[in-house]
Amino acid sequence: MLVVSTVSELQEKHRHLKKAGSRTGFVPTMGALHPGHISLVEESVKGCDYTIVSIFVNPTQFNNPDDFKHYPVTIESDLSMLRDAGVDLVFMPEVKEMYPEEDNRVFDFGGLDQVMEGKFRPGHFNGVGQIVSKLFDFVQPDVAYFGEKDFQQLAIIQYMTRALHYPIEIVPVPTMRERDGLAMSSRNMRLTAIEREQAILISRVLFEAKERRIRGEALVGIKAWAEGEFAAHPMFELEYFDIVDAFSLQALHTFDESDNPVACVAAHLGQVRLIDNIRL
Ligand code: PAF
């Protein structure tokens, strides 16, 4: 496994790896890897001839400087997991390599960035657009893999790929969960032992929301019930529990409005902000 830190090394090594007609798979990450990331890598290793992974904690997507400062960094274990998973090339640039000049580009995501995460984390998706477009330009993959846990990010990347005509297939990969249901996330590392125990509330509410939908309960009832579960918990501060259409991401008022409803949640547990979602 080769590890490089500059765009020119990345492009030179990629030229060597790539043979005519071969498929390059790409998994962008911010490091602090867990089995959820490795499931994206495994999809790429299975479906492509070469797999490139980037590790870069992108400053422009953090609207909260404290969140950026405390983002977990676990390079040694990241590299060992990637080696074991069969990755060919790891791109690990410094900030000045990715942003030699300030990036002032402003992206139009057709309104997909105006709801949920976009409302609570202003500028976040513009930063994601800046870094992912640069990574797509530098890596030039045939296929790129994104986790469904970041459901809104996935929808926005799919939109950007279409809008900017990137010849890249975007492959969504299902969320991996811990045994108790908690969605795997790098941010889970920052939970205290007691917070980690309580974090199960998020997936429990999502799974029960799905049960309630199957039993025929109305959308407004499910939303009010879910919000009540978070309000009743002394350690959680809910930002949103929205049921949205999977494609427009617009909030629904009844299940008649969409064939693809998804429940999405963001909540603070102590110092950690967690998100999760489930298709209803
Ligand atoms: O999902 C992430 O880890 C990041 O948002 C991404 C796609 C690597 C861009 O920094």
Side-chain angles (χ1 to χ4, degrees):
M1 184 176 82
L2 296 164
V3 181
V4 299
S5 60
T6 65
V7 174
S8 56
E9 285 172 296
L10 166 74
Q11 290 177 334
E12 194 218 308
K13 300 292 182 206
H14 191 196
R15 249 194 317 275
H16 279 293
L17 282 175
K18 199 156 172 67
K19 311 257 170 357
S22 68
R23 268 161 74 86
T24 302
F26 176 48
V27 182
T29 81
M30 297 206 298
L33 303 183
H34 51 69
H37 292 110
I38 299 305
S39 71
L40 306 183
V41 170
E42 283 169 356
E43 285 299 312
S44 175
V45 169
K46 239 181 356 201
C48 300
D49 300 291
Y50 306 103
T51 294
I52 301 179
V53 173
S54 63
I55 299 179
F56 180 67
V57 185
N58 172 38
T60 72
Q61 71 187 75
F62 285 84
N63 56 312
N64 173 354
D66 226 42
D67 192 20
F68 177 57
K69 209 167 80 200
H70 291 115
Y71 201 83
V73 176
T74 57
I75 296 300
E76 289 309 311
S77 94
D78 291 352
L79 291 178
S80 138
M81 285 164 91
L82 295 177
R83 201 171 286 115
D84 291 350
V87 167
D88 298 280
L89 182 53
V90 178
F91 179 47
M92 255 178 37
E94 298 284 340
V95 172
K96 63 180 183 314
E97 182 70 11
M98 293 311 283
Y99 296 105
E101 304 292 346
E102 203 174 319
D103 191 342
N104 293 313
R105 289 174 300 160
V106 176
F107 288 79
D108 176 356
F109 296 123
L112 294 175
D113 56 333
Q114 300 302 308
V115 295
M116 299 192 289
E117 292 301 282
K119 241 187 359 220
F120 287 91
R121 302 183 68 191
H124 166 65
F125 287 121
N126 202 63
V128 171
Q130 289 175 341
I131 193 62
V132 173
S133 61
K134 278 176 185 264
L135 288 167
F136 280 1
D137 289 337
F138 299 157
V139 176
Q140 300 196 355
D142 300 290
V143 193
Y145 297 81
F146 289 85
E148 286 182 343
K149 187 184 140 286
D150 294 302
F151 190 77
Q152 189 171 6
Q153 169 173 278
L154 170 62
I156 283 172
I157 299 294
Q158 285 169 324
Y159 182 95
M160 184 183 82
T161 304
R162 284 194 303 273
L164 299 182
H165 294 272
Y166 280 112
I168 300 172
E169 182 191 347
I170 304 297
V171 175
V173 180
T175 303
M176 276 194 79
R177 296 185 179 279
E178 304 287 355
R179 287 164 77 95
D180 66 0
L182 177 67
M184 289 188 184
S185 163
S186 305
R187 288 189 163 85
N188 296 350
M189 292 178 196
R190 294 185 53 214
L191 295 170
T192 63
I194 177 84
E195 287 165 355
R196 172 62 191 85
E197 266 174 25
Q198 300 301 311
I200 189 183
L201 178 73
I202 298 177
S203 55
R204 187 177 66 65
V205 167
L206 288 173
F207 294 150
E208 187 170 338
K210 191 177 173 90
E211 288 298 315
R212 285 172 179 251
R213 156 78 165 131
I214 291 165
R215 290 205 301 268
E217 204 171 302
L219 187 150
V220 284
I222 297 176
K223 180 170 160 66
W225 165 79
E227 288 171 345
E229 291 295 296
F230 284 98
H233 195 292
M235 291 173 68
F236 271 96
E237 202 185 308
L238 181 67
E239 276 190 351
Y240 60 81
F241 178 95
D242 283 342
I243 300 178
V244 303
D245 173 69
F247 300 104
S248 71
L249 303 186
Q250 291 307 301
L252 303 171
H253 306 97
T254 72
F255 286 118
D256 293 339
E257 292 170 3
S258 169
D259 292 334
N260 296 285
V262 186
C264 300
V265 59
H268 290 271
L269 179 53
Q271 299 299 306
V272 186
R273 186 177 183 278
L274 298 171
I275 61 170
D276 197 356
N277 65 82
I278 198 165
R279 287 179 184 272
L280 296 180

